[in-house]
Amino acid sequence: MKPAPILSQPSMDPSNQELPKSENHPPAIEVHDLTAAYGTQPVLWDVDLEIPEGSLVAIVGPNGAGKSTLLKAVLGLIQPLTGWVKIFGEEYSKKRSWVGYVPQRETVDWDFPTTALDVVTMGLYGRLGWFRLPRRSHKEQALACLDKLGVAHLAHRQISQLSGGQQQRVFLARALAQDARLYLMDEPFAGVDVKTEKAVIELLKQLREEGRTVIAVHHDLQTVNDYFDHVVLLNLRLVASGPVSTTFTDENLNKTYGGRLTALTQAAEALLSKQPDKRN
Amino acid sequence: MYLAISYTFQNVLLGTTLLGVVGGVLGCFALLRKQSLLGDALAHASLPGVCLAFLWMGTKDTYSFLIGAIFTGVLGSLFVLGVVRGTRIKEDSAIGIVLSVFFGVGVVLLTWIEKNHQSGNQSGLSHILYGQAATLMERDVWIFVIAGVIILGTIFLFYKELKLLCFDREYGKSLGYPMAALEILVTCLLVITVVIGLQTVGVILIIASLITPAACARQWTDRFSWMLLLAGLIGGLSSVAGTFVSEQFHRIPTGPTIVLVSSSVLIISILFAPQRGILWSWLQSASFRRRIREENLLKDIYGWVEKRNDWSRWPSLSNLMGVRGQSGIKIKKIARPLEHGGLLLVTEKAMKLTEKGLEEAERIVRKHRIWELYLARRLDLPPDHVHRDAEAMEHALSDEALAEFEELLGYPKFDPHGQPIPARRGSSSKAESKATGGV
């Protein structure tokens, strides 16, 4: 049985309705010679990167490797020192409605006086534009997105009453509401329960089946093989980027995590658990 | 004479109320963006501006005061931002530095003016420190009205965008909203409110008009829109009440009285608000403790009978007193609501679990033993270490979690001590078989 499409509501942008997987389409993301710094502390050096449309991508690297910064640079949230980023061949500002963002869960105050439904409705703010307030139809769309993540029953809960996994689901539902072709997610699996992790990965795979591109900062090296089909290895510089089967190698992981004992052990574990027949 | 006073009072009342409403609504943004202290720094930093304006113009003039206050107020907040961005000093320290330096300069200027200028004493400059609402003129009230309309109108117009700014700035930016510009907008509104509040409440207390109503409102609601409305209402009503009180007792200054009123509302809110109030959480934990005691009693009765393996004999009060060393009076007190709830039958000689009570006791015992088994099997804790932990968990474990643990452990029959885990109640009535002596 084919699963129902995640985003069935008609979108405002006609180009969102069909998602062609054509070879002559520009890549979902093209990063050229990107260097970024916070103050005098460089966090990304000369990154060149291309992400083909329709892939499910993990960004992997040790702490402080610039993973979140890369996402933020793509989203135009930080100004790079050099280089440029193109989304589907154009400036981010032109393709903004094609891009959905899931920030790290800890970046917001979950004691903020608002409900889960309200947070998801924020995903529609971009489409609403200035001054217009969400109407009932928008709330219904938001509720449908909560439902896709199995938390529709929590719609009217204050967000501080949600568990970590539920909060993450709300954030993902908000991104779904954006009905984007490209999703950038900052650690969508951080601090969530096993059930949520399963639900989230199912969702990401389903998004990919619909031809959407999903990029997630990921920490658990052991699941990269099972979850993703494309991997970006990052440690200030780009170590490697490509299909998991050819890129997620012993050598590349060593280069990425080199010199860090704990990370190395983790990487070794990941390699040990790697079984070629696990991937289909 | 009477008319003149009431006319003045009208102006004062209108001015303070407007300030209360505007300050309350705007304070929500400062509170939610955790910028309460920045507002305070801004207020203190406006003092030197007022003094400089007086020195420049040579007379007391509301407009030049406002411009002077805005000038150094904004300068002060820019200093804070500059220090945070350009140095390793954190925001709270930066605010402390800017607040004290600007305020210090202001106090020096103020003292110098009062000593050297003939008109200094009459200038009303010292009112800036503590405010003097009684000096509000009709012209001032008009300024308040215009500022109030601008501020509330802006908030109404940009409601959705400002909410996004408060909750998730980065996300808003990714959607294409100019968050930096909105941030500046909010800061400007804050500056205006602080400056018009100077004359009424004064440099030192103005922050209270912003933060206190917002903090009150947050206690009572979990909705952003309601919080704004409620904060405006509390701010406005506190001002009305404070102004009347200070009018009744002539020597009490208006600004501080308003602050006292709103602070009283805050104390009430912190104590009594549902969900977030202290009383509420105290009641919650009291009812949780009571539930623990009740559950323990049910479990003790169950355990007593189980040990003797005779489901026709039930423990007496003195039997139960031996279990936990509780007094008979205490056990009777714990038993009373259980009796009312139909879980327990208390006679002269024994405390007998009803069918319902037995079911409840089994539920608790199940939780206890399954948790013990989980600890022993999964975490490899020795069986003699698991009891105390389970004693706490049996009250906290939800029924859904219990079901998952059971599944995880493969529906076990015995706990680590070899005691049977009571089965989940099904169609066959186990209680009957127990009541007749079988197990």
Side-chain angles (χ1 to χ4, degrees):
Chain A
M1 201 179 80
K2 208 174 167 254
I6 294 184
L7 299 162
S8 48
Q9 83 265 20
S11 88
M12 309 292 270
D13 186 345
S15 56
N16 280 16
Q17 285 180 358
E18 57 206 74
L19 303 165
K21 261 196 204 175
S22 154
E23 286 308 313
N24 48 21
H25 263 255
I29 295 181
E30 193 183 352
V31 175
H32 179 75
D33 190 28
L34 186 83
T35 299
Y38 289 126
T40 54
Q41 187 75 34
V43 273
L44 281 178
W45 278 108
D46 310 326
V47 173
D48 284 287
L49 190 63
E50 249 182 51
I51 306 286
E53 187 167 6
S55 38
L56 182 46
V57 187
I59 301 183
V60 172
N63 288 331
K67 303 183 293 289
S68 300
T69 312
L70 181 61
L71 288 196
K72 286 181 182 174
V74 171
L75 288 158
L77 294 177
I78 57 159
Q79 203 57 46
L81 292 177
T82 66
W84 46 257
V85 177
K86 282 192 174 161
I87 312 281
F88 299 103
E90 289 192 66
E91 296 277 311
Y92 175 72
S93 54
K94 293 204 178 119
K95 292 286 178 202
R96 188 171 278 137
S97 62
W98 288 24
V99 183
Y101 177 40
V102 180
Q104 277 184 38
R105 192 157 50 85
E106 305 87 74
T107 54
V108 304
D109 173 13
W110 288 93
D111 194 35
F112 193 84
T114 193
T115 60
L117 187 66
D118 245 8
V119 172
V120 178
T121 311
M122 286 178 190
L124 301 163
Y125 281 13
R127 231 181 284 160
L128 274 167
W130 289 96
F131 310 125
R132 276 181 65 203
L133 291 176
R135 292 153 186 269
R136 182 188 289 266
S137 64
H138 298 111
K139 297 269 172 193
E140 276 162 11
Q141 279 179 41
L143 192 64
C145 291
L146 275 173
D147 195 38
K148 307 274 187 211
L149 280 138
V151 282
H153 60 290
L154 303 172
H156 299 288
R157 285 265 183 97
Q158 207 269 323
I159 51 173
S160 67
Q161 295 166 6
L162 304 175
S163 72
Q166 289 165 343
Q167 289 175 347
Q168 192 63 56
R169 287 173 192 231
V170 169
F171 255 26
L172 284 158
R174 180 175 73 170
L176 278 193
Q178 286 182 262
D179 188 12
R181 283 174 68 163
L182 166 64
Y183 282 105
L184 299 169
M185 306 184 174
D186 207 341
E187 303 197 20
F189 300 106
V192 303
D193 51 293
V194 182
K195 255 187 176 171
T196 301
E197 179 155 340
K198 272 186 196 155
V200 170
I201 194 61
E202 281 316 308
L203 177 86
L204 301 195
K205 286 181 174 171
Q206 212 174 326
L207 286 169
R208 180 190 54 192
E209 296 314 310
E210 291 170 33
R212 299 170 204 268
T213 313
V214 179
I215 299 172
V217 171
H218 194 57
H219 264 299
D220 184 6
L221 295 173
Q222 313 212 27
T223 50
V224 170
N225 270 307
D226 293 338
Y227 290 179
F228 298 94
D229 48 37
H230 192 110
V231 66
V232 174
L233 292 159
L234 197 69
N235 191 351
L236 297 182
R237 292 165 193 280
L238 182 73
V239 177
S241 166
V244 173
S245 49
T246 55
T247 314
F248 197 61
T249 61
D250 198 345
E251 197 193 343
N252 281 336
L253 276 170
N254 264 327
K255 273 195 222 165
T256 315
Y257 288 90
R260 302 187 194 206
L261 195 64
T262 49
L264 257 180
T265 335
Q266 207 190 354
E269 271 172 24
L271 286 168
L272 282 175
S273 71
K274 199 168 137 184
Q275 292 157 1
D277 55 340
K278 244 180 161 179
R279 280 183 53 75
N280 35 11
Chain B
M1 187 65 194
Y2 176 75
L3 262 178
I5 290 169
S6 87
Y7 172 70
T8 317
F9 181 68
Q10 247 179 41
N11 280 336
V12 173
L13 187 64
L14 207 60
T16 53
T17 308
L18 268 167
L19 181 72
V21 173
V22 171
V25 175
L26 202 59
C28 295
F29 293 93
L31 186 86
L32 291 173
R33 301 191 61 224
K34 302 180 176 58
Q35 289 194 322
S36 311
L37 278 173
L38 190 67
D40 199 24
L42 213 150
H44 280 75
S46 64
L47 182 63
V50 174
C51 297
L52 288 173
F54 177 79
L55 285 173
W56 190 276
M57 303 297 290
T59 54
K60 189 203 168 199
D61 173 64
T62 312
Y63 291 112
S64 58
F65 277 16
L66 291 187
I67 291 165
I70 289 174
F71 180 70
T72 52
V74 170
L75 198 68
S77 32
L78 288 179
F79 256 74
V80 173
L81 291 179
V83 169
V84 172
R85 293 231 174 117
T87 70
R88 283 166 174 267
I89 296 170
K90 298 273 178 290
E91 192 179 23
D92 58 336
S93 316
I95 286 171
I97 294 162
V98 167
L99 184 148
S100 49
V101 168
F102 275 70
F103 189 64
V105 171
V107 171
V108 168
L109 283 173
L110 194 67
T111 320
W112 190 80
I113 289 169
E114 290 193 330
K115 273 194 180 159
N116 294 287
H117 279 254
Q118 290 296 320
S119 54
N121 285 328
Q122 285 92 44
S123 68
L125 269 191
S126 53
H127 296 155
I128 298 293
L129 280 182
Y130 309 110
Q132 194 169 47
T135 61
L136 283 176
M137 312 277 219
E138 196 185 331
R139 197 178 58 165
D140 301 323
V141 174
W142 275 113
I143 295 177
F144 281 31
V145 170
I146 293 165
V149 168
I150 291 174
I151 291 169
L152 295 180
T154 311
I155 291 172
F156 186 74
L157 213 56
F158 293 97
Y159 173 76
K160 166 174 112 260
E161 290 77 11
L162 292 175
K163 183 174 170 183
L164 200 53
L165 174 71
C166 292
F167 178 63
D168 198 346
R169 188 181 184 280
E170 293 269 279
Y171 184 71
K173 209 174 157 191
S174 84
L175 292 178
Y177 288 102
M179 286 296 158
L182 285 168
E183 219 160 27
I184 292 170
L185 183 73
V186 175
T187 312
C188 285
L189 299 183
L190 209 62
V191 171
I192 297 173
T193 314
V194 165
V195 167
I196 64 169
L198 288 185
Q199 210 178 346
T200 321
V201 189
V203 166
I204 299 173
L205 291 179
I206 179 69
I207 193 64
S209 324
L210 285 165
I211 302 308
T212 316
C216 293
R218 182 66 190 92
Q219 288 292 110
W220 298 96
T221 178
D222 270 337
R223 297 295 170 91
F224 187 61
S225 48
W226 279 105
M227 185 177 164
L228 294 186
L229 287 173
L230 215 55
L233 198 71
I234 291 170
L237 290 179
S238 304
S239 294
V240 171
T243 310
F244 270 109
V245 169
S246 88
E247 175 72 6
Q248 283 297 307
F249 308 94
H250 282 285
R251 299 249 156 198
I252 309 181
T254 314
T257 314
I258 294 171
V259 171
L260 284 180
V261 172
S262 61
S263 303
S264 314
V265 178
L266 181 63
I267 291 171
I268 293 168
S269 306
I270 288 173
L271 287 177
F272 302 114
Q275 313 271 358
R276 302 176 78 89
I278 289 172
L279 184 71
W280 178 273
S281 50
W282 185 81
L283 286 175
Q284 291 282 95
S285 69
S287 95
F288 183 62
R289 282 197 301 271
R290 195 170 60 235
R291 210 191 82 207
I292 289 178
R293 281 196 292 267
E294 289 174 13
E295 290 188 353
N296 280 342
L297 181 62
L298 293 177
K299 197 181 66 174
D300 291 347
I301 297 173
Y302 182 92
W304 192 90
V305 184
E306 189 192 34
K307 213 157 114 191
R308 283 154 190 81
N309 204 2
D310 178 1
W311 293 91
S312 56
R313 273 188 60 215
W314 297 92
S316 66
L317 190 62
S318 55
N319 290 144
L320 289 168
M321 281 158 67
V323 178
R324 275 173 210 270
Q326 287 166 318
S327 70
I329 298 165
K330 182 150 194 195
I331 292 177
K332 272 186 189 161
K333 204 179 132 199
I334 299 168
R336 207 165 299 131
L338 292 171
E339 210 183 342
H340 280 296
L343 295 162
L344 204 60
L345 248 146
V346 182
T347 59
E348 290 266 315
K349 285 187 180 154
M351 289 198 166
K352 184 173 184 267
L353 293 172
T354 62
E355 166 78 5
K356 205 171 142 196
L358 190 62
E359 200 173 309
E360 182 66 12
E362 282 184 346
R363 202 177 58 87
I364 300 155
V365 171
R366 265 160 57 78
K367 280 185 184 172
H368 181 99
R369 291 183 182 164
I370 284 176
W371 183 250
E372 276 189 340
L373 195 64
Y374 175 77
L375 288 181
R377 275 208 206 155
R378 292 279 158 156
L379 302 180
D380 283 330
L381 289 178
D384 55 334
H385 280 61
V386 294
H387 174 76
R388 242 181 64 184
D389 203 59
E391 196 73 356
M393 274 307 282
E394 70 196 14
H395 307 293
L397 212 59
S398 71
D399 289 335
E400 297 87 58
L402 180 74
E404 286 203 24
F405 275 119
E406 256 195 301
E407 195 189 330
L408 199 68
L409 294 167
Y411 301 99
K413 295 254 177 344
F414 294 95
D415 77 356
H417 313 293
Q419 287 171 300
I421 294 168
R424 189 187 289 273
R425 284 319 188 91
S427 49
S428 71
S429 180
K430 212 168 156 206
E432 263 172 48
S433 68
K434 276 180 183 168
T436 53
V439 177

